[in-house]
Amino acid sequence: MKIPVEIADVKVTPGQALLTLLCDVNEWLDIIEANPCICGSNDGKAIYVLYRDVAFVISEFWEFFALIMAKINQTWEICAFGTTENQDSIRLSAEKVGPFVELTQQTISGSSSDALRTLCFQLICDEKETADNLLEFLKKVNWLVDVAVMSWRKSSFLKSKSWLCCPKAKPTFATQD
């Protein structure tokens, strides 16, 4: 499916878009008691964010998350995996192609589906260092309150991704490394 669109908000960094996507997915899925499972791949460049025991209509997922996934996909390859009601594996991706966002649904069987069970985002970074820092950050987030607590040694990575709410806040607080 193609949607005519312009992704114009150049002020939003890929990191901010990713955080927005994950926070919005938590809210949309009404995740109130557990954080998603976050892990990395063996090669160190892929990150997985897994939501167990969820089910949703794919058209609603696209309505809320297609544009932001396409925005993230301009920097980091991102897609969503899950299973259909027939236990068929499914992959959802959104990519900006010219003036359109192309929404793709792929299944092992080649059949389309209206609903998805379980949700796993796969994010592939260009560099292992970025993936390592991003993985460490995402594991530190308490998704129930959308706050992360980390060592200030990682602040240069967070600043480069524009993830610090207030980069000048550090001197206000006593910190320990």
Side-chain angles (χ1 to χ4, degrees):
M1 182 185 326
K2 286 185 179 181
I3 301 173
V5 70
E6 180 179 327
I7 300 177
D9 192 357
V10 293
K11 295 176 188 172
V12 175
T13 67
Q16 290 169 335
L18 179 63
L19 287 176
T20 299
L21 171 67
L22 296 176
C23 290
D24 288 353
V25 165
N26 285 340
E27 186 177 323
W28 180 65
L29 293 172
D30 199 23
I31 305 293
I32 57 173
E33 294 182 12
N35 289 326
C37 175
I38 299 171
C39 58
S41 65
N42 289 337
D43 71 359
K45 290 188 177 182
I47 296 170
Y48 299 92
V49 180
L50 174 65
Y51 299 87
R52 292 184 168 97
D53 303 322
V54 299
F56 55 86
V57 177
I58 293 172
S59 61
E60 190 176 315
F61 176 83
W62 283 137
E63 181 181 335
F64 291 115
F65 306 115
L67 296 180
I68 198 158
M69 282 182 64
K71 174 75 176 175
I72 296 165
N73 207 22
Q74 291 178 310
T75 303
W76 297 317
E77 184 181 334
I78 188 169
C79 63
F81 288 98
T83 55
T84 68
E85 56 276 0
N86 299 325
Q87 298 303 309
D88 194 9
S89 294
I90 190 168
R91 180 182 186 268
L92 305 174
S93 61
E95 182 177 4
K96 187 173 185 306
V97 179
F100 298 96
V101 169
E102 289 185 357
L103 308 177
T104 304
Q105 179 185 126
Q106 299 167 304
T107 59
I108 300 285
S109 69
S111 302
S112 65
S113 180
D114 294 332
L116 188 132
R117 296 176 185 198
T118 307
L119 173 62
C120 181
F121 286 104
Q122 178 189 51
L123 182 78
I124 300 176
C125 299
D126 294 335
E127 303 165 350
K128 185 179 179 334
E129 181 182 4
T130 299
D132 288 345
N133 285 319
L134 184 56
L135 180 62
E136 182 180 348
F137 174 76
L138 293 175
K139 284 184 172 185
K140 300 285 185 177
V141 174
N142 179 333
W143 296 102
L144 303 177
V145 292
D146 300 335
V147 172
V149 178
M150 295 181 68
S151 166
W152 281 108
R153 288 180 288 209
K154 295 294 183 178
S155 67
S156 60
F157 171 75
L158 298 175
K159 285 178 187 175
S160 73
K161 303 301 177 203
S162 298
W163 287 358
L164 288 177
C165 295
C166 181
K168 296 179 182 180
K170 181 182 176 187
T172 307
F173 303 98
T175 61
Q176 280 186 313
D177 284 345

